[in-house]
Amino acid sequence: MYQNLLIEAYKKAQNYQQDQQIAVDLDIPKQRISDFRKGKRYMSDEQAIFLAEKTKIAPELALIGCHVDRSKSVISKEVWERMAKKFSKYGLQRFSMSYGAIVMGYGVFQQSINDYVLCMLC
């Protein structure tokens, strides 16, 4: 799940040891971070943007990734993934390393996003 990767990126960027520290920054109960990680809840757009900005990740990419996580239907997931591919194709060189760092190790998700982005840009 993308929001889990976003949380990990923020935790690393802030040199935090515990998820509770992230909860304090977001002004939410500490259990909420656990719920995000388990997929029981989804972070708001504002929370995703906050985490993205603090980790030098494009807020647009964070929002797209979180919306992919939230999507219940296959069709809506595909649309969000195509949007991510378009965003990636237009490149925005300064975001490419952040994108790679976030999606690294998330093999299938990364490949599908890249494929969809390329299709959308074509």
Side-chain angles (χ1 to χ4, degrees):
M1 289 175 36
Y2 184 84
Q3 64 183 7
N4 196 28
L5 295 173
L6 190 57
I7 290 168
E8 282 302 316
Y10 180 77
K11 190 174 180 179
K12 184 177 180 180
Q14 299 298 319
N15 292 319
Y16 285 164
Q17 299 298 316
Q18 299 177 343
D19 287 349
Q20 180 177 351
Q21 295 167 295
I22 300 168
V24 170
D25 290 351
L26 292 173
D27 194 28
I28 57 175
K30 62 183 177 181
Q31 179 60 36
R32 184 87 34 93
I33 301 294
S34 177
D35 291 344
F36 290 159
R37 289 186 179 280
K38 294 176 184 175
K40 292 181 180 179
R41 296 185 131 224
Y42 299 101
M43 64 180 63
S44 69
D45 290 347
E46 292 78 16
Q47 291 165 336
I49 291 168
F50 174 83
L51 296 177
E53 288 176 341
K54 298 295 183 183
T55 56
K56 307 292 189 230
I57 295 169
E60 297 87 351
L61 183 59
L63 288 178
I64 290 171
C66 288
H67 280 274
V68 170
D69 285 349
R70 287 184 207 145
S71 297
K72 300 292 182 202
S73 74
V74 174
I75 294 170
S76 63
K77 270 190 189 287
E78 288 176 358
V79 170
W80 281 110
E81 288 173 348
R82 283 194 306 257
M83 289 172 52
K85 286 181 184 180
K86 281 185 180 180
F87 179 79
S88 178
K89 185 176 181 181
Y90 288 119
L92 302 177
Q93 297 292 333
R94 60 188 172 147
F95 301 131
S96 62
M97 290 192 67
S98 297
Y99 173 77
I102 289 296
V103 198
M104 190 179 342
Y106 210 57
V108 173
F109 181 72
Q110 179 182 12
Q111 185 61 40
S112 64
I113 286 179
N114 291 338
D115 293 341
Y116 280 100
V117 171
L118 290 174
C119 289
M120 294 300 286
L121 293 173
C122 295

